[in-house]
Amino acid sequence: MNGMTIRLDQIPVRQIKGVSARKEEELHAFGIRTAADLLEYFPFRYEDYRVRELEEVGDGERATIQGKIATPPVVQRYGGKTRMFCRVAAGRMLITAVWFNRHFLQDRLTPGRDITLTGKWDRNRRQLTVAESEFPGSGAAKTGTLQPVYSVGGGITQGWMRKTIAQALQQYGHLVPEVLPHELIERHGLMPRREAVMRIHAPGSAEEGEAARRRMAYEELFLFQLKLQAYRAHTRRKRDGVAHTADGASIRAFAAGLPFELTDGQKKAVNEILHDMRQPYCMNRLLQGDVGSGKTAVAAIALYAAVKSGHQGALMAPTEILAEQHMRTLEKWFAPHGIQVALLTGSLTERQRRDVLAGLQMGMIDVVVGTHALIQEDVHFRSLSLVVTDEQHRFGVGQRSILRRKGIHPDVLTMTATPIPRTLAITAFGDMDVSTLRERPKGRVPIKTYWVRHDKLDRVLGFIRREVAAGRQAYVICPLIEESDKLDVQNVIDLHQQMQQAFPDLAVGLLHGRLTAAEKDAVMRGFASGGAHVLVATTVVEVGVDVPNATLMVVMDADRFGLSQLHQLRGRVGRGSHASYCVLIADPKSEAGLERMRIMTETDDGFEVSRRDLELRGPGDFFGTKQSGLPDFKVADLSSDFALLETARDDAAEFVSREAFWRDPACARLREMLMRDPIFQGEQLD
Ligand code: ADP
Ligand code: MG
């Protein structure tokens, strides 16, 4: 050990032989600046130059074979191009080898000479279209190897990249440091890092390449998980949060006063949340539950506990419609307890807004409900101790640090109705504790889902009429037209007219994104109070909207929606005790669209829907957007490295739970790596 160790990440790529100033610049475009970057620029697959027997090569496959030239080559010319062929004896077969535009090889193709050919095999014509050829003994390099294939482009060719990385390995390979604790390398029989970096670029066999890849994938996953787990542990160790003191009896009394009995799942989640809230650390908990599982009630109890402990709570919703709805619900539940609730959204008048801000600062308002504007810089609280965010939005490190700058260290409860498959959950939300609501409240009838083609529209209209005649209400969702906001609105207005013509005697409401917040609120209130029988809407009603009397959800052109979106839409019904239905109208044009319709009709369990959604789309697309918090792994592949991910997570959790991790010099390197991550900005690890 000496302090003068040469570090690969401090050696500019320019130091590698063959890297000119121009090449250096081109490498920068790939994010490659140092020798470490180049050595860690891993291939995404290998090209196989291992010699095979022709008998084993399938039709159309690319393969490398050995043979002896049997006839002199014949060159045909056409339009400036050439086609050259000769016969080659390969094993027990006589085949035709064909080269395009390689006639300069003609003189070297002398009958009787041994040759190795790599190319595409056409079994019927007994013909190999040659991509590359080598003569044994002529310093041949590729035959028998697996050649790495890198992502290249611009002025960087595959050949240059191979050569340069090989050169880098030769010059600096011995400096590759180990970063994993020795203990973990032993435990999982991992390849040491130096060897893995060499082998991943130049594996002696497919197994060796995979072992090297696996080692690097584990490292990547472990370091990622270590970051999340360390952050979680660090948050707990700091003890700078609010230890809520509300007494259990009062909280139980509040829960008992709700208009229903809590499900077992809700009780368990409430207990987990209250346990966290009573501790002096900052809670960072995810409450995941299928649509309609009753997350709002859980949030209300947590907010009640915050207020009864002498503090304030905030509930953030993704849309104004949802904020208004939460406002109505909480007012109803909190008013009997003298708890003041206020709404803070963009549609308040300047004066109303000033009043709310003043009320929050002085502590006259106990709970504030709003959209994400809630956490803006100019909102000050007397004592905010709990932030609840509803649906989708992750309360990120950025938002947390806005509050921290104001000296506020609230507990955070994030609610999501998109049940996340476990692998993704521990990746995207690994820094959080998770509570899960699996069941829906008792007495709910499962939602029946039907898929029909457009020519059955009349029957669907008849269905709507029957539900309305029975005293129920229906949603009709208009397909979204992604390219154009304007067309979208026109579309929903047309559909509304169509529905009005079909039901001249019914009240048909209209809801879309272009309405003002006040208009939206009026429409939603009208529908919630039974003033409209049918609500024609865009996906603005997608999340959270709760009208228990609505029992029929009709989705037009349903194949245009993603699975989780369809499941969310379906979740708008089945929220009361009446039998509920979801009708998907679609003539799917793609196999994926067809599969989505099938899945929807086969299950109404959100966990199952999301599992199959993940299967259909793969982890990268699962969350749709990049704000998911899912990292781009370089080596690891979430769709095949499940087991490795779980192992890495357990290892990381075990490590940070040890006191030694936070002090041991042997872990100094890991701690240093963590500190460089933005998640720890401005924090002291010890
Ligand atoms: P989500 O989890 O989708 O946000 P909500 O909180 O909106 O679900 O709850 C859905 C509906 O179920 C609401 O009308 C709510 O009042 C009702 N609800 C919640 N918990 C229960 C329960 N334990 N028993 C009966 N109804 C409940
Ligand atoms: Mg909800």
Side-chain angles (χ1 to χ4, degrees), residues 427-442:
T427 309
F429 301 106
D431 57 329
M432 297 179 153
D433 297 292
V434 180
S435 294
T436 304
L437 299 181
R438 283 215 154 260
E439 75 225 290
R440 295 194 198 149
K442 279 192 220 63

Side-chain angles (χ1 to χ4, degrees), residues 43-352:
F44 61 90
R45 66 178 179 89
Y46 300 102
E47 245 161 22
D48 194 346
Y49 288 88
R50 288 171 302 174
V51 175
R52 296 171 62 187
E53 295 295 328
L54 252 183
E55 286 79 1
E56 297 162 5
V57 179
D59 186 40
E61 252 188 88
R62 178 193 159 104
T64 299
I65 57 150
Q66 261 164 0
K68 206 181 265 297
I69 296 169
T71 64
V74 176
V75 179
Q76 301 168 320
R77 288 170 200 277
Y78 56 102
K81 304 191 171 153
T82 66
R83 177 179 188 274
M84 172 173 72
F85 64 91
C86 69
R87 305 287 244 162
V88 172
R92 275 175 277 120
M93 270 197 251
L94 193 61
I95 66 165
T96 308
V98 183
W99 285 258
F100 288 97
N101 307 316
R102 287 276 187 285
H103 54 278
F104 48 82
L105 290 174
Q106 186 175 7
D107 293 344
R108 303 175 66 191
L109 300 179
T110 45
R113 191 166 186 194
D114 286 329
I115 192 166
T116 307
L117 302 169
T118 301
K120 196 171 154 188
W121 176 233
D122 180 336
R123 179 177 270 167
N124 291 331
R125 298 157 81 176
R126 295 201 159 204
Q127 180 173 301
L128 190 82
T129 304
V130 180
E132 294 172 58
S133 47
E134 282 180 349
F135 296 100
S138 60
K142 284 184 186 170
T143 300
T145 67
L146 291 166
Q147 289 287 315
V149 181
Y150 302 98
S151 156
V152 292
I156 307 277
T157 63
Q158 198 61 247
W160 187 86
M161 194 62 126
R162 281 178 187 160
K163 204 176 69 196
T164 309
I165 288 179
Q167 175 62 37
L169 281 169
Q170 215 170 67
Q171 260 176 273
Y172 296 117
H174 62 286
L175 294 179
V176 172
E178 184 54 78
V179 298
L180 289 179
H182 190 65
E183 175 188 348
L184 292 177
I185 296 175
E186 296 254 288
R187 187 185 302 173
H188 302 301
L190 297 172
M191 215 181 247
R193 193 162 194 270
R194 186 171 305 159
E195 191 187 339
V197 169
M198 300 222 174
R199 300 291 180 214
I200 204 167
H201 291 293
S205 66
E207 295 70 39
E208 208 171 71
E210 173 52 23
R213 191 204 68 84
R214 191 166 164 276
R215 139 80 212 209
M216 297 313 298
Y218 173 84
E219 173 185 318
E220 192 171 33
L221 294 170
F222 174 77
L223 292 178
F224 176 72
Q225 287 295 332
L226 189 71
K227 174 179 94 178
L228 298 182
Q229 300 296 327
Y231 186 69
R232 182 171 164 270
H234 172 66
T235 311
R236 292 196 163 218
R237 289 163 59 91
K238 265 197 311 195
R239 314 175 89 47
D240 63 353
V242 176
H244 291 86
T245 53
D247 67 300
S250 146
I251 297 170
R252 275 194 298 279
F254 173 73
L258 291 174
F260 39 73
E261 203 199 325
L262 295 184
T263 63
D264 290 346
Q266 282 171 320
K267 285 182 196 155
K268 181 155 178 278
V270 164
N271 284 336
E272 288 164 350
I273 291 163
L274 291 178
H275 174 82
D276 274 352
M277 286 179 70
R278 293 203 167 97
Q279 308 303 314
Y281 52 73
C282 288
M283 170 171 77
N284 185 18
R285 186 170 283 276
L286 178 73
L287 175 60
Q288 68 167 342
D290 204 351
V291 281
S293 57
K295 293 184 289 293
T296 316
V298 174
I301 296 169
L303 289 166
Y304 178 87
V307 173
K308 280 293 150 180
S309 306
H311 302 281
Q312 292 164 298
L315 174 56
M316 306 203 298
T319 65
E320 298 212 339
I321 292 178
L322 213 50
E324 308 250 1
Q325 177 184 291
H326 281 321
M327 174 69 196
R328 288 195 292 273
T329 307
L330 293 186
E331 254 180 341
K332 206 166 58 201
W333 291 345
F334 284 158
H337 301 269
I339 294 174
Q340 289 300 314
V341 191
L343 187 68
L344 186 62
T345 60
S347 51
L348 294 191
T349 64
E350 198 40 52
R351 170 118 204 240
Q352 289 169 320

Side-chain angles (χ1 to χ4, degrees), residues 661-676:
F661 172 77
W662 304 88
R663 310 189 192 289
D664 194 348
C667 292
R669 183 165 202 127
L670 288 176
R671 287 197 301 269
E672 184 200 312
M673 285 169 90
L674 290 180
M675 291 310 294
R676 268 187 259 135

